[in-house]
């Protein structure tokens, strides 16, 4: 018998698997995501005024910043749940941490994609090796490594412990990404909020701020929906492996 499957079989009792039929949370998150995303599109493209210099291209800003927020929040969730996993050694913490890391990687990729598109309009260049971009790219590769660890061969709990360490250490780069343009000089990346002694920053128009806050809220609801769906899928995969192992045991008898 596979030691991996034996460990997995005893690590997540069936009682911990959610009952998809009785739970209304997935439906609430789905409808909440649809409504909030439609609202954010209205505020971004209709309610918010158009930036005078960049014009319609500035609208990418809302998706760029909101994706960055989700990525940072997802890695924060991974960090916290990785700590809980190392303390409690409960499989459910590990599952949530892993799914959250996957979501964080996807939204970091969105950040690294929308950023150059916006940069081309604002700076007339696709990419500049400046502090925030470099640290964001490093963050992306750290959590790619986290996911690769999870897909290595070996006993799952050893992989989970190693990945948890990566998940905790990797989060250290998140505040570095945020403060990069404040700690190091940068010619291109703007400071919108928090520049100078009064922390006022360049600022944005009131309608733009409202659109940004609505889009961040919508993307946060989307994160919650994806996290719930991802954990459900991972639990279903584990349940299938448990059933397959039982069938192998019955055939070996």
């Amino acid at each position: 018998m596979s030691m991996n499957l034996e460990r997995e079989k005893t690590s997540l009792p069936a009682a911990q698997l959610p009952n998809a039929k009785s739970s209304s949370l997935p439906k609430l998150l789905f409808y909440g995501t649809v409504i909030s995303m439609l609202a954010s599109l209205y505020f971004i493209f209709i309610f918010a005024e158009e930036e005078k210099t960049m014009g319609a291209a500035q609208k990418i800003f809302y998706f760029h910043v909101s994706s960055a927020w989700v990525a940072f929040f997802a890695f924060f969730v991974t960090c916290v749940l990785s700590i809980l996993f190392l303390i409690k050694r409960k499989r459910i913490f590990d599952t949530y941490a892993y799914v959250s890391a996957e979501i964080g990687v996807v939204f970091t990729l969105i950040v690294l994609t929308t950023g150059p598109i916006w940069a081309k309009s604002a700076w007339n260049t696709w990419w500049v090796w400046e502090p925030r971009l470099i640290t964001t790219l490093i963050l992306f590769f750290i959590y790619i490594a986290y996911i690769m660890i999870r897909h290595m061969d070996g006993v799952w709990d050893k992989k989970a412990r190693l990945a948890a360490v990566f998940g905790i250490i990797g989060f250290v780069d998140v505040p570095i990404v945020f403060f990069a343009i404040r700690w190091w000089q940068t010619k291109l990346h703007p400071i919108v909020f928090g520049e100078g002694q009064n922390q006022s920053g360049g600022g944005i128009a009131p309608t733009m701020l409202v659109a940004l806050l609505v889009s961040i809220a919508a993307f946060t609801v989307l994160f919650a929906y994806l996290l719930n769906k991802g954990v459900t899928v991972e639990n279903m995969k584990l349940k299938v492996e448990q059933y397959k192992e039982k069938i192998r045991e019955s055939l070996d008898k």
Side-chain angles (χ1 to χ4, degrees):
M1 293 303 109
S2 170
M3 185 177 292
N4 287 2
L5 294 179
E6 287 295 326
R7 292 291 186 90
E8 290 182 0
K9 184 170 62 175
T10 59
S11 300
L12 184 62
Q16 288 184 312
L17 295 175
N19 189 337
K21 294 183 179 180
S22 63
S23 176
S24 60
L25 181 61
K27 289 184 178 180
L28 291 174
L29 290 175
F30 172 76
Y31 290 120
T33 299
V34 172
I35 293 171
S36 61
M37 292 301 291
L38 290 175
S40 69
L41 292 176
Y42 166 79
F43 276 93
I44 290 171
F45 292 104
I46 299 176
F47 178 80
E49 59 190 88
E50 191 171 287
E51 208 273 334
K52 295 180 181 178
T53 304
M54 290 181 285
Q58 185 268 343
K59 302 293 184 180
I60 300 174
F61 163 79
Y62 304 104
F63 300 96
H64 181 71
V65 175
S66 299
S67 297
W69 155 254
V70 171
F72 291 168
F73 185 66
F75 295 144
F76 170 74
V77 171
T78 296
C79 177
V80 172
L81 292 175
S82 294
I83 294 172
L84 289 175
F85 171 73
L86 292 177
I87 296 173
K88 303 287 188 179
R89 298 297 172 89
K90 291 186 177 180
R91 180 70 181 251
I92 193 65
F93 293 138
D94 173 64
T95 302
Y96 271 96
Y98 170 60
V99 173
S100 185
E102 285 188 318
I103 296 171
V105 167
V106 171
F107 278 92
T108 303
L109 183 59
I110 294 174
V111 171
L112 292 171
T113 303
T114 56
I117 296 173
W118 185 22
K120 183 61 177 176
S121 301
W123 309 336
N124 197 32
T125 183
W126 293 102
W127 183 272
V128 176
W129 292 100
E130 58 105 50
R132 174 160 287 179
L133 298 180
I134 295 172
T135 51
T136 302
L137 188 61
I138 292 172
L139 183 68
F140 176 73
F141 285 127
I142 288 174
Y143 282 94
I144 285 290
Y146 173 96
I147 294 175
M148 290 177 65
I149 290 171
R150 299 302 303 265
H151 289 277
M152 292 190 311
D153 292 332
V155 181
W156 82 263
D157 55 348
K158 290 183 178 180
K159 293 188 297 182
R161 289 198 300 270
L162 180 58
V165 173
F166 260 74
I168 296 168
I169 296 175
F171 182 73
V172 175
D173 192 40
V174 170
I176 295 176
V177 173
F178 181 79
F179 289 108
I181 56 176
R182 293 165 173 81
W183 291 345
W184 297 288
Q185 293 183 353
T186 175
K187 296 180 180 179
L188 296 176
H189 220 118
I191 299 177
V192 180
F193 305 104
E195 184 178 17
Q197 293 181 351
N198 59 0
Q199 295 291 293
S200 60
I204 58 177
T207 56
M208 294 180 181
L209 179 59
V210 172
L212 176 61
L213 294 176
V214 171
S215 62
I216 288 175
F219 274 62
T220 304
V221 177
L222 174 61
F223 165 76
Y225 172 74
L226 293 176
L227 183 64
N228 178 268
K229 275 292 183 182
V231 170
T232 301
V233 170
E234 288 299 316
N235 285 339
M236 290 175 65
K237 287 180 180 178
L238 179 59
K239 195 65 178 177
V240 169
E241 291 299 326
Q242 292 173 350
Y243 285 137
K244 287 167 65 176
E245 182 66 17
K246 289 180 179 178
I247 293 173
R248 290 192 190 99
E249 289 179 348
S250 62
L251 292 176
D252 290 340
K253 291 181 180 178

